[in-house]
Amino acid sequence: MDVILLERIETLGQMGEVVKVKPGYARNYLLPQKKALRATKENREYFEKQRAQLEAQNLSKRADAEKVATKLDGVTVIIIRQAGEFGQLYGSVSTRDIATAITGAGFTVDRRQILLDVPIKTLGLHKTRVSLHPEVTVSVTVNVAPTEEEAAAQAAGKKPGGPADETKAEEAAAAPAAAEAAAAPATTEAEEPAGAPEPKKKKAKAKKPASEE
């Protein structure tokens, strides 16, 4: 299906361009969101008449987006999620989750403005793009952690496997040996080590007969 773009679409083109898209994409997204018009003769004429006004509106929206961008760019939001032993999440962090976290930080964004290149399925810090306007995109950091305390540690640059975790690992490795030592019977002073040579016995001195004395 051929459509006329009413604004810049990152993967398609600039405002005013006629591009070919899949019918489902046009019907379900571009046309309902008023981001494009069907490329009919009537719509082409309408666009040319409205071009100046549409461009003015676009400039105004871009200016507003740039103001928000100066405050939002570089912001970090925290999302608490439980994970398995190796940091794999039970599920994933969705665009809706990120949009909710950003809105909670004082910025109004829609989940459709969150640009996730790959799904977030692990704990850690994840750089994510947010489209405030077709021509204005900022980057935020999504800090995914099991607790607020661990989120703060991640933000400070600490990762799982640091000194504290190494100490825990050493203690865990030493635990079986300690348990085995505690279960072994105590050795008394009277006991001889296993396999020790027997002490030499002194030979009794033979007494002379009384007649010889």
Side-chain angles (χ1 to χ4, degrees):
M1 178 186 292
D2 290 339
V3 297
I4 306 168
L5 298 179
L6 298 180
E7 63 180 48
R8 177 182 178 273
I9 305 294
E10 184 175 1
T11 56
L12 296 178
Q14 302 294 329
M15 176 190 289
E17 288 186 24
V18 177
V19 297
K20 184 179 291 294
V21 298
K22 293 182 179 180
Y25 181 53
R27 288 193 298 266
N28 298 328
Y29 179 66
L30 294 176
L31 301 180
Q33 295 296 319
K34 302 187 185 303
K35 295 179 180 294
L37 293 172
R38 292 176 183 272
T40 63
K41 180 180 178 181
E42 294 78 9
N43 285 338
R44 290 172 189 265
E45 292 174 355
Y46 168 80
F47 176 79
E48 290 304 324
K49 290 178 181 178
Q50 299 295 320
R51 178 186 285 271
Q53 183 178 347
L54 291 171
E55 289 179 346
Q57 291 175 351
N58 179 64
L59 288 173
S60 176
K61 291 178 181 179
R62 188 176 70 182
D64 291 340
E66 288 173 344
K67 291 179 182 178
V68 176
T70 59
K71 299 178 181 178
L72 181 57
D73 193 32
V75 164
T76 297
V77 295
I78 296 173
I79 294 180
I80 302 301
R81 286 288 186 277
Q82 296 306 310
E85 183 179 358
F86 300 104
Q88 290 291 328
L89 301 182
Y90 300 124
S92 63
V93 176
S94 67
T95 55
R96 187 185 298 276
D97 296 327
I98 298 171
T100 299
I102 294 174
T103 300
F107 303 91
T108 303
V109 297
D110 185 85
R111 65 184 180 84
R112 288 168 294 194
Q113 294 175 268
I114 308 302
L115 308 177
L116 273 182
D117 296 322
V118 293
I120 296 177
K121 295 185 177 181
T122 59
L123 299 175
L125 304 177
H126 304 270
K127 291 287 186 182
T128 305
R129 293 181 300 141
V130 181
S131 177
L132 298 176
H133 178 272
E135 300 172 33
V136 181
T137 301
V138 297
S139 175
V140 301
T141 299
V142 181
N143 187 344
V144 185
T147 64
E148 293 284 348
E149 292 75 13
E150 293 194 38
Q154 287 183 162
K158 298 179 182 177
K159 297 181 180 179
D165 291 322
E166 289 175 3
T167 301
K168 290 181 181 178
E170 291 174 359
E171 291 175 352
E180 185 178 347
T187 303
T188 62
E189 294 181 0
E191 290 180 339
E192 294 290 346
E198 294 183 2
K200 293 182 180 180
K201 295 181 180 180
K202 294 182 180 180
K203 294 182 179 180
K205 189 176 181 181
K207 292 184 178 181
K208 293 181 179 181
S211 59
E212 295 181 4
E213 289 181 358

